Amino acid sequence: MSHSYLAKLCSISAFMSLALFSSAVLAAETDAEEEKMDYDQCVLQRIEIADDNTTIGDIKKYCESLSNLAIYRPSKELLFTNEDNKTVASEKGDNAEDAKEGSALLKKRLRMEYRVRDNRFAIIPHKPNYLLPVTFNNSPNQDSLETSGDERQVDNIEAKFQVSFKTPFWEKPFGDNSSLFFAYTGQSYWQAYNKDVSSPFRETNHEPEIFAAWATDWKLGGWQVPYFSLGVSHQSNGRSGLGSRSWNRIYTEFAFEQDRWVLAFKPWWRIPEERKDDPLDPDGDDNPDIDDYMGYFELYSAYQWDQHNFGILLRNNLRSDNKGAFQFDWTFPLDDEGKLRGYVQYFNGYGESLIDYDRRVNRLGVGFVLTDWL
């Protein structure tokens, strides 16, 4: 087959593809009010046909209004309307645009998550994914490594990392704005620099969850409530015998945001288990007093300043002995694109890991975060 024939064939194919694409665009414009379309497809089509005076904001606003995803629907107020912009402008003056962007931190994340839900090769982050190559604990649990003849000392310095993801497996089970998710979080403590005991993993906690989440347009005072969830969680360290730790919880979580502040309130109820007659019995409660240390709720507050995210986690048992935990997070960009971010984490209190749930931990770690809360 000659090169000229191939060139003609390619030209004809390109012309037909362009004609079909143009027809599809015109048809989409004609039926826009009657039929919803995919957000990403809409953006690509509008970019092709838009004139020089059309802004990216105009294209996004147009496609968000047509998307069949609840997170884009103006009726749920998950995106700012003109009335919202006027209100913000009157209250914030010249900083209206900053305030508008800052009050949609969680909504931005939700929109991104919706865009990849149908991509089976994409993994949606759940909790933060991070690696802290160096952490220092001034009072490590010497009993957390099982003895094997000689005494085994736990180093103050170890590595800590967390892997967390989720995936929706049922869309709209409880209405248009709901989804059912499966999630998994693994958190490991690695004695990477303890060569005397062959650098073991001192503790690994596994937490699978199933939960339902709803996107909402609720407001409480000046706070918006972008979503809430209800789920069941199992957490275990995968050990047997005296080192076994596990518990099951039913929880709900409400997220709030205002300006550049985000709050997440997560109360839970522990599913009771029968007490063990023998500590070595595989059936029964491994840690009956875990509520005394882990408490009954978790409150996380985050603030975004420029490209820096600051977070504070609080837990408490609401008892006179007042056991709980405090964690401070700081993440910051390490490159111009913001893909690589540094992470400083400080933890003080009980329940950092299951093996240490009843021991006070005072740990400072530095490293990298791959995906953050915001």
Side-chain angles (χ1 to χ4, degrees), residues 274-329:
E274 293 184 1
R275 289 184 175 269
K276 291 185 176 183
D277 296 328
D278 184 341
L280 296 177
D281 190 344
D283 296 324
D285 197 343
D286 293 323
N287 28 248
D289 61 345
I290 194 169
D291 285 343
D292 297 343
Y293 299 90
M294 297 291 288
Y296 304 97
F297 71 92
E298 187 172 277
L299 178 65
Y300 191 81
S301 174
Y303 180 77
Q304 187 176 85
W305 175 73
D306 196 11
Q307 297 298 313
H308 297 253
N309 293 339
F310 301 92
I312 291 177
L313 178 146
L314 297 173
R315 288 198 301 262
N316 198 275
N317 62 5
L318 300 177
R319 297 183 180 183
S320 58
D321 55 3
N322 197 31
K323 291 184 174 64
F326 167 86
Q327 179 174 304
F328 171 77
D329 299 324

Side-chain angles (χ1 to χ4, degrees), residues 170-237:
W170 189 0
E171 296 284 357
K172 304 179 182 180
F174 309 111
D176 288 343
N177 302 315
S178 66
S179 292
L180 270 175
F181 288 86
F182 167 79
Y184 170 81
T185 300
Q187 188 179 93
S188 293
Y189 300 81
W190 180 21
Q191 290 274 295
Y193 315 104
N194 194 346
K195 304 298 183 182
D196 293 339
V197 293
S198 191
S199 303
F201 278 81
R202 183 176 63 87
E203 172 79 342
T204 296
N205 293 162
H206 308 275
E207 186 177 12
E209 304 173 55
I210 293 179
F211 65 93
W214 289 263
T216 79
D217 58 358
W218 299 347
K219 292 185 179 180
L220 182 63
W223 294 83
Q224 301 175 64
V225 185
Y227 77 88
F228 75 95
S229 61
L230 177 66
V232 59
S233 162
H234 168 76
Q235 191 176 28
S236 170
N237 66 352

